[in-house]
Amino acid sequence: MKRAIFPGSFDPFTIGHYSIVLRGLELFDEIVIGVGVNLSKKSLFPIEKRLEIIEQAFKNDQRVKIKQYNSLTVDFANEVQANFILRGIRTVGDFEYEHTTADNNHKLSGIETVVLFTEAQYSFISSTVVRDLLAYNKDISRFLPPNVKL
Ligand code: ADP
């Protein structure tokens, strides 16, 4: 059984995140989406809402589990018995960050990070863009996964 975690803030979960999980399901039997509760990082959406959005997106897929976590990512992976971390890359900036984090996590616990490059049509989508548009009352439905209502 190949199990990966997909950790992130998901403030909120976007169609870019959704695409990474769907593509990850071609590689892994099960993906545990870990929603980080980071006390030093202020989020727009409360944790309950961030979890609910992801639940709506995957309500018909038993292979996807959703959990909040409040620990080091590698400890969360151990807790749910996952051997892989799944992440996505859009830009060179993402690459730098993911590379360093993956190296650290491998040194800390031997866990492998599997990175997927974004699909071109989602490369400009981020939670930050969604939050900015929401602040100006713009429609953001096309940035969300199918079947998700805020
Ligand atoms: P974090 O705060 O840990 O960076 P995010 O919620 O911003 O968490 O993102 C989680 C993961 O999803 C990261 O690996 C990020 O690079 C990736 N990601 C975010 N948006 C996209 C996108 N549009 N396409 C591909 N990967 C993405």
Side-chain angles (χ1 to χ4, degrees), residues 85-109:
I85 298 174
L86 175 65
R87 296 282 288 181
I89 286 185
R90 285 156 295 188
T91 59
V92 174
D94 280 352
F95 175 85
E96 299 267 359
Y97 176 79
E98 297 300 341
H99 181 206
T100 314
T101 311
D103 265 0
N104 277 322
N105 286 337
H106 191 255
K107 289 229 163 55
L108 273 172
S109 74

Side-chain angles (χ1 to χ4, degrees), residues 54 80 101:
I54 307 172
V80 300
T101 311

Side-chain angles (χ1 to χ4, degrees), residues 42-60:
K42 218 174 148 325
S43 64
L44 176 68
F45 291 88
I47 182 70
E48 297 76 22
K49 188 67 190 175
R50 284 187 276 153
L51 293 164
E52 188 210 303
I53 290 168
I54 307 172
E55 273 153 19
Q56 288 181 46
F58 293 104
K59 63 175 180 293
N60 296 322

Side-chain angles (χ1 to χ4, degrees), residues 6-11 14 16-17 20 41 87-90 94 97-98 116 118 122-123 125-127:
F6 181 45
S9 322
F10 307 124
D11 185 35
T14 67
H17 296 127
I20 295 290
K41 204 169 166 182
R87 296 282 288 181
I89 286 185
R90 285 156 295 188
D94 280 352
Y97 176 79
E98 297 300 341
L116 296 178
T118 185
Y122 301 138
S123 62
I125 296 178
S126 66
S127 300

Side-chain angles (χ1 to χ4, degrees), residues 21-55:
V21 173
L22 292 188
R23 291 165 63 208
L25 286 168
E26 303 285 327
L27 305 170
F28 303 110
D29 302 306
E30 192 176 288
I31 294 178
V32 183
I33 302 177
V35 185
V37 188
N38 188 338
L39 295 177
S40 64
K41 204 169 166 182
K42 218 174 148 325
S43 64
L44 176 68
F45 291 88
I47 182 70
E48 297 76 22
K49 188 67 190 175
R50 284 187 276 153
L51 293 164
E52 188 210 303
I53 290 168
I54 307 172
E55 273 153 19

Side-chain angles (χ1 to χ4, degrees), residues 55-95:
E55 273 153 19
Q56 288 181 46
F58 293 104
K59 63 175 180 293
N60 296 322
D61 200 328
Q62 302 303 313
R63 296 170 301 167
V64 178
K65 314 277 183 228
I66 302 142
K67 270 178 163 272
Q68 68 181 75
Y69 76 101
N70 187 358
S71 54
L72 264 185
T73 303
V74 291
D75 291 338
F76 175 61
N78 279 333
E79 183 193 315
V80 300
Q81 296 179 322
N83 294 320
F84 302 93
I85 298 174
L86 175 65
R87 296 282 288 181
I89 286 185
R90 285 156 295 188
T91 59
V92 174
D94 280 352
F95 175 85

